[in-house]
């Protein structure tokens, strides 16, 4: 059976769990990382030398990097739907997956770690204040894209929605004022569509810790 190693409040683990459920794959999840530890242990480092979560073990096939895991699960269990077989449609999904990892995460990491995982007295308020409008401007690019399609790769939900969808929950729930930020109505409408998916509610809409 597929094993997914990683704690459930890790955004990168959430992507793998969400994708597995969307694909209807049975799996066992083990709590690794954060307060659970284990990711510094030899058994884990032998699978994933980076010592981060998630890592999957699919009957002996070991894979790390959350977006690679999402692609693998969707390609093996949902080709033609979540993993588009048309190269251009797949390219569309792929680019928003890579955009999540390369473009959205720098500001989101400053904001999430600063506001959620750092004690108030230790926060870098200057960095948080700078990241707030900068990150809103990045999300505005996806908002504009979603003005003309319901999902990132077009008419249907695909793997491309998973990484950005996971981070979007955090963005929309970060505790700061938004009255001076651009309105993001298409992003909100897309989030509302995602929120109707049981696997999104189960794995992503659970925690801001
Ligand atoms: N690029 C990696 C990043 C993985 C990563 O940084 N995971 C974090 C949790 S979101 C981690 O393992 N942190 C250490 C820990 O949880 O102990 C991926 O997408 O899988």
């Amino acid at each position: 059976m597929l094993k997914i190693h990683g704690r459930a409040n890790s955004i990168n683990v959430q992507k793998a769990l969400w994708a597995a459920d969307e694909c209807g794959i049975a799996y066992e999840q083990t709590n690794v990382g954060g307060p659970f530890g284990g990711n510094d242990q030899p058994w884990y480092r032998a699978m994933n030398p980076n010592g981060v979560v998630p890592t999957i073990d699919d009957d002996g096939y070991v894979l790390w990097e959350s977006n690679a895991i999402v692609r693998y699960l969707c390609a093996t269990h949902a080709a033609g739907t979540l993993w588009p077989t048309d190269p251009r449609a797949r390219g569309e999904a792929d680019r928003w997956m890579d955009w999540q990892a390369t473009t959205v995460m720098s500001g989101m990491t400053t904001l999430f770690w600063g506001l959620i995982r750092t004690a108030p007295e230790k926060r870098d308020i200057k960095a948080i204040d700078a990241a707030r409008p900068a990150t809103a401007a990045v999300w505005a690019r996806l908002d504009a894209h979603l003005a003309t399609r319901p999902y990132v790769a077009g008419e249907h939900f695909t793997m491309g929605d998973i990484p950005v969808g996971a981070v979007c929950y955090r963005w929309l729930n970060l505790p700061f004022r938004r009255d001076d930020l651009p309105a993001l109505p298409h992003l909100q409408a897309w989030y509302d569509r995602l929120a109707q998916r049981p696997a999104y509610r189960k794995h992503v809409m659970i925690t801001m810790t």
Side-chain angles (χ1 to χ4, degrees), residues 134-177:
T135 310
V138 171
W139 282 114
R141 298 173 202 159
L142 180 56
D143 181 77
H145 179 72
L146 290 168
T148 53
R149 47 186 74 71
Y151 296 101
V152 303
E155 287 304 308
H156 304 288
F157 177 82
T158 67
M159 64 177 181
D161 294 286
I162 291 178
V164 272
V167 195
C168 185
Y169 174 74
R170 289 186 170 183
W171 165 253
L172 293 177
N173 288 284
L174 282 167
F176 49 54
R177 60 188 280 250

Side-chain angles (χ1 to χ4, degrees), residues 7 9-13 15 32-35 39 51-54 64-67 69 117 170:
R7 57 188 165 85
N9 69 342
S10 148
I11 188 138
N12 292 310
V13 175
K15 296 176 197 172
V32 175
N39 44 333
V52 293
V53 293
W64 42 262
E65 274 301 329
S66 58
N67 288 357
I69 291 169
R117 293 206 176 142
R170 289 186 170 183

